[in-house]
Every structure is written in structure tokens, then in C-alpha cells.
Amino acid sequence: PISLSWRLRALFATVSTIVLLILGTLIGRSVENHFEEQDRFILDGKLVQTRRILEDAGDDPASVPQRLDEILSGAPGLAIAVRLPGGETLFATSGVDFPGALFEHAEKERDGRPFVWASAKGVPLRGISARFRVGKPGRVQGAGDATALVGAAIDISHHESFMRAFRQTLWAFIVLAAVSSGFLGWLAVRHGLSPLRAMKRQAEKITAERLDARLSVDDVPIELADLARTLNALFSRLEKSFIRLSEFSSDLAHEFRTPVSNLLMQTQVTLSRERGADEYRDVLASNIDEFERLSRMIADMLFIAKASEGRIVPTLDSLELAALVTDVADFHRLAADEKNVTIDCEGRGTMRGDSLMIRRVFSNLFSNAIRHAPSGGWVRAIIDTSAEEEVTVAVANEGETIPEERLFRLFDRFYRAETSRARGGAQSGLGLAIVKSIVEAHGGRVEVASKNRETTFRVAFPSKTALRSADAFSRTRLPAEPFHS
């Protein structure tokens, strides 16, 4: 590809050449018009003198040639020809060929452009013609009643020589200016692009180990400041994504290590000596719990990964939220009764969405709320349809207030708000991340607020759910497992 400096250099040279060509053409035409007007003024003067001579000639036209020689004696390069109506030449300057075309439109030549031709010897001439009466008007008979065609010409060799020299000089100057413009344009572009090269050197210093480095915004021109800020924002997003990826990898290794270590240790202990069939059966039965935990964790991670890639396309069914939320709440009442936690559901509303996925959302929210509610506390679900074209469901629980700076990370994978909120061994730590993925796949949003010992998760769905286009992504149906985090 052609570099930017070469493009700008060619642009400078082209623009300067075009401008000089236009300017030279205008100047050339102006000079030619000036020469033409100057010659026309001289020729008009000679025609006026010739007309007076013809009018004064009367019945003695023989005196005309002598008087015309007199007016031409002090004007080198000028020539005059006089033709009578019969085609007879009354006078003509020697050595000058007057073409017939000069006399054909005598009347029009007074208002038109002069006629230009070359003599037999190659001398360029410019001439005009007119029709004049021979003798003064009012005479009864004779030559005074006749008219004659008069042509006047002037040698324009010096004009042509000047214009040739002018054009040669103009072309030489244009070529020199184009080369100079290209060189000066290269210098200007090189200097103008130096901030870009500086940005390039700064960007080269940003590596996986130095993601905190940023481009300088104050030291670049205004035109590049927005680009520098955009790149800095990009680097910030990359840094955050890299940090989250590193944390996720560490958390993932930690989550997998515990069940795998338990399975390995228990298997090694079992195989350390001979045991009976009942003991082997008990060990295998206890291993099922760890395998189920690993299976749920892998399924949840696969679900979140596909949701983040836009490959989860829910089906659209008409859902009565009051019945759905109440059904999910009834499923969790046994766990709530064990902690002496009351569950209340209020409001009504409808939406369009995937029944199994929406059940999974509220199952995770109820499970989370019951787990963090104190003994004797409460959990409340409120359906609100007051907002236009939107239905919201808020699941709130009484409990410890979550600090503001930790709320925005609650939907991160494996994130623990506090050590006291650590999950039991049956929890995979992906429940809220799954909630966010499902809600966003339905075109909604999820928010969380915590104050005055009350934490509220609020999910909002469009009344007419706007889903991702099924043509853009492959449809993926995963095991719903609606009542697992």
C-alpha cells in the first residue's frame, strides 16, 4: 500500500502544478488579449486615416497610393490593401499577402476578433477590414459613389516570440515547482507525522507485562488527541480484561482443585489397603457428590461462555410472572423454613421469554437471598409493571449490607463479596453470572443495591422482549437445571 507521506507528497505536487497551470493559462490569455487590443487600436487608427484619404480622393483616386505610402512610412510592420468593387487592387503594401477571407466579412470584422494568418514567407500577421466610400457622400456620378474594401494588417512576430518564451518559462517553472513542492511536502509531512511516530514508539512499550502504560495526550496535536484518548481507553479495557482473565484462571484452578484433591485423596486412602465391597461402595457413593459439583460447574461455565458469545437464543413464550415466581419460591420454602426465613411474593405481570431460563434466574436469586438472610429474616419478591414497556422483578432479602465498592463485582465469576458470604461446598459460585447472562440474552438488565441491611436484586425485562437475531447465532439449548446455582 502507498504510504501516507507519499500520498501527501503527490497531493502537494499535483495541487501546486494545477494551480500554476491555471495561473499561467490566465496570465497567457491576459497577455495575448493585451497584445490583440494594442494591435487593434493601431489598426483602427490606420483604417480611420485610410477612410479620410478615400473620402478626400474625390474624382482623383490616383492620389490614394501616394498618400497611403505616406501614412505607412513611419509605421514599420504595418500594411494596407485597398480593393475596388470590381476586384481591382487600388493599393497594397508590397511583400504582404492579403487573403480573400480577410475581406469576406468586412462589416463583421469591425466587431469581431482580428483575422490572423501567415504570409508566404511565414510572417504571422493580424488584420482587420472595413468597407469605405470613395469620395464624399452626395456626389452625383463618378468614383465618389463607389465603395472600397480596405484591409489593415500588422506584423505580430515579436508577440509570438514573446509568448513562446513565456510558455517555455512557464513550463520550466511548473516542473521546478512540482519537484520543489514534492520535496517541501515531504519535509512538511515528515515533521507533521512525527507525533504519530512518537505515539507508535509509546504503543510499542505497552506489553502484557506493562498494560498500565498509556499514551501521552498533552504532547500531541489536537487532531491526534482524540485518537490517543481512544487508544488509552482501549488499553484500559484490555488491562481490565486481562486482569479479570487472570483472576478467573486463578479462581477456576482453585475451584477445581478442591473437588479433585478430595477425589484423589479419598481414592488413594481407599486403595492403600484391602477393603470390603461395602466400603468400596461407600467411597464411590461419596465421590458422586464431588463429580456432581464438577459437572454443574462445567455446565455453568459452558453456559456463561456461550451466552457471552451471543450463542444463547431463548425461545419466546408468554409467561405469567406471578405464577412462575410463586412456583420457584415454593420450591425454596423448605430451605427457607430450615433457617426460619419467610418468603413473600407480590404483584403480577407478563413477559415473553424462555420459561426454563427465567425459572433459573429466580431460582438463583431466591437461593442467594435465603443463603444470606439471617435466621428469622425475610425474603421478598415484588413484580412491578408501572414502567412503560418494561416489567421488573425485585428480589430483596434482609441481611448484612454489602459495601458499595463491591457491588459492581457481584456478577463476576467466582467473586465473593465477603469471606463470611463464602459458599458451601455445593455452590459453584457462578449463580449471579448466570443470572446476568440470561437476563441480557432476553434483552433486559440486572441491577443490585444494598443499604440499611437490605440487599435488592432487580431484573428488568422488556414487555415485548427484543432478542438477538436467531440468524446471527446458532441456537444452543443447554440443560436448564432451573434450581441449581
Side-chain angles (χ1 to χ4, degrees):
I2 301 176
S3 66
L4 181 61
S5 60
W6 272 103
R7 292 180 182 180
L8 292 177
R9 190 187 314 179
L11 178 62
F12 290 153
T14 303
V15 170
S16 62
T17 301
I18 293 175
V19 171
L20 289 174
L21 280 174
I22 295 175
L23 181 62
T25 301
L26 293 176
I27 294 175
R29 290 183 177 179
S30 177
V31 172
E32 288 181 348
N33 291 335
H34 170 72
F35 287 155
E36 182 177 311
E37 290 176 0
Q38 187 180 38
D39 294 341
R40 183 66 179 263
F41 177 78
I42 295 173
L43 294 174
D44 284 341
K46 295 305 176 183
L47 286 180
V48 171
Q49 289 179 322
T50 303
R51 183 187 64 184
R52 291 175 180 174
I53 291 174
L54 292 175
E55 289 178 351
D56 294 340
D59 296 329
D60 187 17
S63 63
V64 172
Q66 181 181 357
R67 297 182 65 181
L68 290 178
D69 280 335
E70 291 176 358
I71 66 175
L72 293 177
S73 61
L78 281 172
I80 294 177
V82 179
R83 292 183 180 179
L84 297 176
E88 178 186 356
T89 301
L90 180 62
F91 175 83
T93 303
S94 61
V96 179
D97 303 325
F98 285 85
L102 178 65
F103 299 99
E104 288 179 358
H105 305 287
E107 299 298 333
K108 297 181 179 179
E109 290 295 337
R110 299 291 293 175
D111 300 324
R113 297 178 61 86
F115 186 76
V116 178
W117 77 96
S119 66
K121 296 180 180 181
V123 178
L125 298 169
R126 179 182 288 122
I128 59 176
S129 63
R131 184 183 299 274
F132 296 134
R133 182 184 298 273
V134 180
K136 293 183 178 180
R139 294 183 180 272
V140 179
Q141 295 290 336
D145 295 326
T147 60
L149 288 173
V150 180
I154 187 171
D155 185 357
I156 58 173
S157 299
H158 59 292
H159 296 342
E160 295 291 334
S161 177
F162 175 83
M163 292 306 300
R164 282 194 300 270
F166 173 79
R167 293 187 184 96
Q168 292 175 357
T169 303
L170 175 64
W171 279 108
F173 183 75
I174 288 176
V175 173
L176 179 62
V179 175
S180 301
S181 298
F183 176 72
L184 295 177
W186 174 75
L187 292 179
V189 171
R190 181 176 177 82
H191 177 72
L193 295 181
S194 57
L196 273 180
R197 291 192 294 272
M199 291 175 62
K200 174 180 174 292
R201 290 191 295 269
Q202 293 176 2
E204 288 175 345
K205 297 178 181 179
I206 300 177
T207 62
E209 292 75 22
R210 297 187 68 251
L211 285 174
D212 57 335
R214 296 292 181 270
L215 302 179
S216 176
V217 179
D218 298 331
D219 299 336
V220 298
I222 298 177
E223 293 79 3
L224 297 178
D226 289 340
L227 175 61
R229 281 190 286 266
T230 301
L231 291 175
N232 285 337
L234 171 63
F235 294 144
S236 298
R237 293 193 298 269
L238 289 176
E239 181 183 13
K240 292 178 181 178
S241 298
F242 193 87
I243 292 174
R244 292 180 62 183
L245 181 61
S246 299
E247 293 177 350
F248 174 70
S249 300
S250 300
D251 292 340
L252 185 62
H254 175 74
E255 294 293 333
F256 279 171
R257 182 181 61 182
T258 300
V260 172
S261 297
N262 292 341
L263 290 171
L264 180 61
M265 181 183 64
Q266 192 164 349
T267 302
Q268 289 174 340
V269 171
T270 303
L271 296 177
S272 62
R273 62 182 179 83
E274 291 290 337
R275 301 179 184 275
D278 292 338
E279 291 181 284
Y280 285 122
R281 189 178 296 108
D282 292 339
V283 170
L284 293 176
S286 64
N287 287 347
I288 290 178
D289 293 336
E290 299 297 340
F291 283 124
E292 288 180 347
R293 180 184 176 188
L294 285 173
S295 177
R296 286 195 300 270
M297 190 182 303
I298 293 172
D300 290 343
M301 289 176 56
L302 179 61
F303 182 92
I304 295 174
K306 291 188 176 183
S308 63
E309 295 175 4
R311 295 168 58 192
I312 303 299
V313 182
T315 58
L316 293 179
D317 301 321
S318 179
L319 304 180
E320 176 58 48
L321 287 177
L324 187 147
V325 172
T326 301
D327 189 22
V328 175
D330 290 341
F331 179 84
H332 288 275
R333 288 191 189 279
L334 180 60
D337 292 341
E338 292 180 356
K339 292 188 64 175
N340 194 23
V341 173
T342 60
I343 301 179
D344 295 322
C345 299
E346 303 176 8
R348 302 183 65 84
T350 59
M351 64 167 289
R352 289 177 59 81
D354 191 298
S355 175
L356 294 179
M357 289 186 182
I358 300 302
R359 283 176 176 272
R360 191 171 188 181
V361 167
F362 295 122
S363 178
N364 288 347
L365 292 179
F366 275 117
S367 176
N368 183 76
I370 294 171
R371 187 164 59 253
H372 297 301
S375 178
W378 51 264
V379 173
R380 185 180 300 117
I382 301 176
I383 303 172
D384 183 11
T385 58
S386 59
E388 186 176 356
E389 296 185 356
E390 188 177 66
V391 57
T392 63
V393 181
V395 179
N397 68 277
E398 180 186 5
E400 185 178 350
T401 302
I402 303 175
E404 185 72 24
E405 64 274 9
R406 298 182 181 179
L407 284 178
F408 75 96
R409 296 202 59 190
L410 288 181
F411 298 98
D412 292 350
R413 305 165 191 177
F414 302 120
Y415 178 73
R416 295 178 176 85
E418 293 181 11
T419 305
S420 61
R421 290 178 175 266
R423 303 169 300 275
Q427 302 299 325
S428 66
L430 298 172
L432 294 179
I434 292 175
V435 168
K436 182 179 180 182
S437 299
I438 294 176
V439 172
E440 290 180 349
H442 281 76
R445 68 182 188 279
V446 58
E447 302 169 349
V448 59
S450 183
K451 59 182 179 180
N452 300 328
R453 294 186 57 81
E454 179 178 335
T455 300
T456 303
F457 287 87
R458 181 174 287 102
V459 293
F461 299 101
S463 298
K464 298 179 180 178
T465 307
L467 301 178
R468 300 185 181 96
S469 174
D471 296 334
F473 307 102
S474 61
R475 289 187 172 272
T476 303
R477 303 296 300 168
L478 297 180
E481 296 184 333
F483 306 128
H484 293 294
S485 298

